């Protein structure tokens, strides 16, 4: 273990001097936070694409002019503390970002030239694509609407109070320095919006983690020069006249264009939605999303269903769209299946299924502005994987829609295997009462999962930030067990927090396998080696973690990891990993372990040694690097995960 002392830095005095190098260092170190500040202060009326580009432009222009350190800039004093709060360079660039963001939101005057911040940014430039942050839930959407109703100074006050934790005196100082005429009025207006500090730090307002969509392709075509268009038309007409028969041969049997395609039109007709009978799942050979009945109090709301289908086919610029990795986001090929349409918390929600994906459309109860569209790939789902879908997330809680075969639902904390599960209420439509979701930021002190029972078994499902929760299992790859058993719950507890590393990766299932135990040197007890493997819906992008836990340890430590590796999976149920470990006596060792059928383990490089059997313990120096190689009992070699 390594430790370091953190020295508190004094707050800068009023009139502190900042040179270019100091400001540049602060800008580079805190760039994502500064861009987030600019994005939140900018008026939402700019549109998300221009808001993202303008936020980056304002942050990049926050440096003082000139490169000489002798050209100082004076900034007001800020609150004391360590890190960025006590860094005058950060305070300076933050002030410039806030000032220019407020300038960008000011109305254009007819008597004066517009300021640079009020014009579209020259840099950065992205052509042919629209960029926007990840979509959040109904809670983030509601906060964005509240912020859009505030004035620019009030929005800046709210954001600085929530993100920067500035007290009112410091807020008034910063706002005044940014050019706000009446900081006190801005603070009073900002106080009218309830605090939502966690939401301000969410991915919804992160302009550094972006999705991309094409711009209006038809409009881009229309901007082609008229002369070229006329020449192309003449060439096409001449070719058509010259061709025999019906003209273009290869396209002779093609369907009409999209606007006149009967299949595409049927996909947008609410009357043609597939609706499964409520009891169809009881006699079907399949137990996946294809046998879910249509549920919810708005399944006959034709207007809502028509809007959901239209947005799926042609999402507008204001729609907050997201998709799990490897999930296509185009419209359905034909009429999809209706799974749910109803009121959930403060939104109207529609769930649709086209055999490959689930699409969730959500709009506020009091209007259609700010709609959200989310996609998740679910092809080949098993009974366990089709047990639940996320209906909504609000206030850190998650509400699920469960499969028709689910009889009972409960909330369980994976970090407390000996604690009982807390029952959740199931409505007649199969919706659960809200349960606390896993932590998004900060310390991992709990990891709540959904526990469902359906008469054939009890299963655990973990929310990883997507529409479909991941199925948790335990045991040897190829024949894993449900993680809900008492022994498997105890086995999962030290490694539950590692699930955060695979959040938003399109994960289908995660298996935890205790592949080895190792007696520690110096009579220090016995350590456990566990491999967790996250498989995805798309097939690629699998993630493998080899974790090491010493006696009495609360959490496992990641010793090695791999991506897109067959290790620790049904195709290759083998793994070899090592870690540098310090004994209670102060000696350092290289510890390594493989699966039970490992005949020998060899270390080379910075540490050399070998041992017969699946485990190795060799004296080493602190910080040493080694390469591991194992030989299986059948003669095959296995390399160590790194």
């Amino acid at each position: 273990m390594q430790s370091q002392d953190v020295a508190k830095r004094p707050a800068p005095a009023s009139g502190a001097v900042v040179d270019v190098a100091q400001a540049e260092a602060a800008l580079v170190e805190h760039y994502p936070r500064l861009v987030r500040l600019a994005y939140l202060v900018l008026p939402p009326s700019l549109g998300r694409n221009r808001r993202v580009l303008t936020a980056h432009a304002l942050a990049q222009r926050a440096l003082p002019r000139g490169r000489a350190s002798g050209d100082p800039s004076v900034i007001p004093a800020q609150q004391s503390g360590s890190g960025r709060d006590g860094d005058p360079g950060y305070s300076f660039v933050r002030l410039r970002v806030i000032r220019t963001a407020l300038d960008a939101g000011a109305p254009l005057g007819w008597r004066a030239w517009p300021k640079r911040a009020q014009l579209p940014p020259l840099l950065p430039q992205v052509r042919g694509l629209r960029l926007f942050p990840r979509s959040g839930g109904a809670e983030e959407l509601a906060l964005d609407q509240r912020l859009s109703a505030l004035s620019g100074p009030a929005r800046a006050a709210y954001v600085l109070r929530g993100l920067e934790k500035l007290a009112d005196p410091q807020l008034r100082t910063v706002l005044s320095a940014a050019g706000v005429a009446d900081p006190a009025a801005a603070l009073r207006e900002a106080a009218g919006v309830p605090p939502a500090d966690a939401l301000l730090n969410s991915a919804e307002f992160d302009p550094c983690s972006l999705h991309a969509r094409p711009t209006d392709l038809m409009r881009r075509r229309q901007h082609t020069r008229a002369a070229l268009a006329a020449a192309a038309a003449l060439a096409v007409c001449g070719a058509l006249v010259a061709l025999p028969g019906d003209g273009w041969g290869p396209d002779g049997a093609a369907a009409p264009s999209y606007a006149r395609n009967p299949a595409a039109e049927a996909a947008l007709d609410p009357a043609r939605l597939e609706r499964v009978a409520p009891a169809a799942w009881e006699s079907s050979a399949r137990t996946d999303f294809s046998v879910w009945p249509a549920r919810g109090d708005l399944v006959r709301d034709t207007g809502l269903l028509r809007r959901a289908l239209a947005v799926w086919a042609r999402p507008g610029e204001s729609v907050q769209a997201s998709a799990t990795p490897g999930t296509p986001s185009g419209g359905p090929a034909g009429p999809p299946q209706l799974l749910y349409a109803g009121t959930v918390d403060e939104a109207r929600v529609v769930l649709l299924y086209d055999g490959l994906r689930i699409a969730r459309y959500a709009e506020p109860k009091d209007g259609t502005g700010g709609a959200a569209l989310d996609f998740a790939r679910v092809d080949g789902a098993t009974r366990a994987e089709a047990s639940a879908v996320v209906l909504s997330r609000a206030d850190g809680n998650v509400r699920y829609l469960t499969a028709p075969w689910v009889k009972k639902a409960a909330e369980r904390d994976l970090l407390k295997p000996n604690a009982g599960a807390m029952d959740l209420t199931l409505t007649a439509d199969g919706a659960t009462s809200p349960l606390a979701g896993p932590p998004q930021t900060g310390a991992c002190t709990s990891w709540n999962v959904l526990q469902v029972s359906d008469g054939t078994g009890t299963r655990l499902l973990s929310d990883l930030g997507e529409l479909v929760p991941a199925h948790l299992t335990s045991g040897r790859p190829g024949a894993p067990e449900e993680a809900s058993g008492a022994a498997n719950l105890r086995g999962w507890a030290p490694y539950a927090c590692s699930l955060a590393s695979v959040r938003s990766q399109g994960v289908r299932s995660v298996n935890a396998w205790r592949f080895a135990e190792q007696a520690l040197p110096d009579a220090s007890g016995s350590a456990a080696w566990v491999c967790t493997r996250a498989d995805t819906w798309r097939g690629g992008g699998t993630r493998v973690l080899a974790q090491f836990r010493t006696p009495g340890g609360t959490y496992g430590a990641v010793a090695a990891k791999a991506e897109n590796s067959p290790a620790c999976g049904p195709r290759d149920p083998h793994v070899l990993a090592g870690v540098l470990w310090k004994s209670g006596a102060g000696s350092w060792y290289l510890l390594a372990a493989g699966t039970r059928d490992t005949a020998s383990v060899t270390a080379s490089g910075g540490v050399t040694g070998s041992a017969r059997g699946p485990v190795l313990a060799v004296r080493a120096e602190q910080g040493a690097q080694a390469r591991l190689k194992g030989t299986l009992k059948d003669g095959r070699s296995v390399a160590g995960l790194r």
Side-chain angles (χ1 to χ4, degrees), residues 246 248-255:
D246 295 329
W248 297 106
D251 292 341

Side-chain angles (χ1 to χ4, degrees), residues 14 109 164 227 269 330-331 340 348 368 437 530 557 635:
S14 179
E164 299 295 281
D269 187 355
Y340 181 86
R348 292 187 289 262
T368 59
V530 170

Side-chain angles (χ1 to χ4, degrees), residues 172-393:
R172 282 189 288 269
T173 301
V174 173
L175 292 176
S176 178
V180 176
D182 191 350
L187 291 178
R188 287 194 300 271
E189 184 181 352
V193 178
D197 300 355
L199 293 181
L200 293 175
N201 283 291
S202 68
E204 166 75 11
F205 304 112
D206 183 6
C208 291
S209 179
L210 301 171
H211 289 285
R213 292 291 184 276
T215 56
D216 190 330
L217 301 179
M218 295 302 296
R219 182 175 297 174
R220 284 163 54 185
R221 289 184 182 180
Q222 293 170 358
H223 289 172
T224 306
R225 291 183 178 181
L228 291 178
L234 287 174
V236 170
C237 291
L240 286 174
V241 171
L243 286 173
D246 295 329
W248 297 106
D251 292 341
S257 63
Y258 178 79
R260 293 175 288 124
N261 188 335
E265 290 176 347
L268 300 178
D269 187 355
R272 299 196 184 187
L273 283 171
E274 297 288 341
R275 299 171 187 261
V276 175
W281 67 272
E282 298 179 8
S283 57
S284 174
R286 301 178 61 172
T287 49
D288 57 14
F289 294 107
S290 67
V291 294
W292 276 36
R295 293 173 286 177
D297 59 323
L298 300 177
V299 291
R300 299 298 173 187
D301 188 334
T302 303
L304 171 64
L305 299 178
R306 187 181 303 279
R307 290 193 297 274
L309 291 168
V311 170
W312 185 354
R314 304 183 306 276
E317 186 173 347
S318 64
V319 175
Q320 304 176 36
S322 69
T324 57
T327 304
S329 57
Q337 177 184 339
L338 177 62
L339 303 183
Y340 181 86
T343 304
V344 182
D345 298 325
E346 297 301 317
R348 292 187 289 262
V349 177
V350 178
L351 291 176
L352 300 165
Y353 170 67
D354 68 351
L356 171 69
R357 305 161 294 173
I358 284 180
R360 181 183 66 183
Y361 170 82
E363 64 180 28
K365 284 200 305 184
D366 55 357
T368 59
L373 182 66
D374 303 293
F375 296 96
R377 186 169 171 175
V378 293
D379 50 315
T382 63
R383 182 186 184 100
E385 294 159 350
S387 293
V389 173
V390 172
L391 271 181
S392 71
R393 295 184 179 89

Side-chain angles (χ1 to χ4, degrees), residues 39 44-53 129-133 135 144 204 211 213-216 219 310-311 314-321 368-373:
Y39 182 85
S45 59
L46 291 177
R48 290 192 297 166
N49 180 70
R50 181 170 169 185
R51 226 171 133 195
V52 165
L53 295 178
L129 289 175
R130 290 187 293 109
L131 303 178
F132 49 90
S135 299
D144 196 41
E204 166 75 11
H211 289 285
R213 292 291 184 276
T215 56
D216 190 330
R219 182 175 297 174
V311 170
R314 304 183 306 276
E317 186 173 347
S318 64
V319 175
Q320 304 176 36
T368 59
L373 182 66

Side-chain angles (χ1 to χ4, degrees), residues 596-612:
R596 188 178 304 173
D597 57 349
T598 303
S600 64
V601 180
T602 302
S604 59
V607 182
T608 58
S610 62
R612 297 182 62 84

Side-chain angles (χ1 to χ4, degrees), residues 381-532:
T382 63
R383 182 186 184 100
E385 294 159 350
S387 293
V389 173
V390 172
L391 271 181
S392 71
R393 295 184 179 89
D395 299 324
N397 297 321
V398 186
R399 193 189 297 271
Y400 293 93
L401 179 67
T402 59
W405 52 81
V406 170
K407 306 298 182 184
K408 186 179 180 181
E411 175 182 353
R412 177 180 287 280
D413 187 351
L414 274 186
L415 296 186
K416 300 175 182 177
N418 297 323
M422 184 174 66
D423 289 341
L424 297 173
T425 302
L426 282 179
T427 67
D429 291 329
T432 69
S433 53
L435 69 149
Q440 299 294 317
T441 58
C444 180
T445 57
S446 66
W447 195 278
N448 295 319
V449 296
L450 175 67
Q451 178 175 292
V452 295
S453 303
D454 60 7
T456 65
T458 300
R459 301 175 176 88
L460 297 184
L461 306 170
S462 178
D463 175 29
L464 295 180
E466 297 168 331
L467 283 183
V468 182
H471 179 211
L472 303 184
T473 58
S474 181
R476 183 175 179 82
E481 303 174 350
E482 294 296 337
S484 55
N488 292 336
L489 285 173
R490 291 192 295 271
W492 253 108
Y495 314 102
C497 291
S498 67
L499 289 170
S501 66
V502 293
R503 184 180 275 122
S504 301
Q505 298 299 315
V507 172
R508 179 176 191 159
S509 62
V510 185
N511 183 59
W513 175 34
R514 184 167 179 163
F515 66 90
E517 291 189 11
Q518 182 174 17
L520 297 174
D522 299 340
S524 300
S526 180
W529 289 89
V530 170
C531 179
T532 56

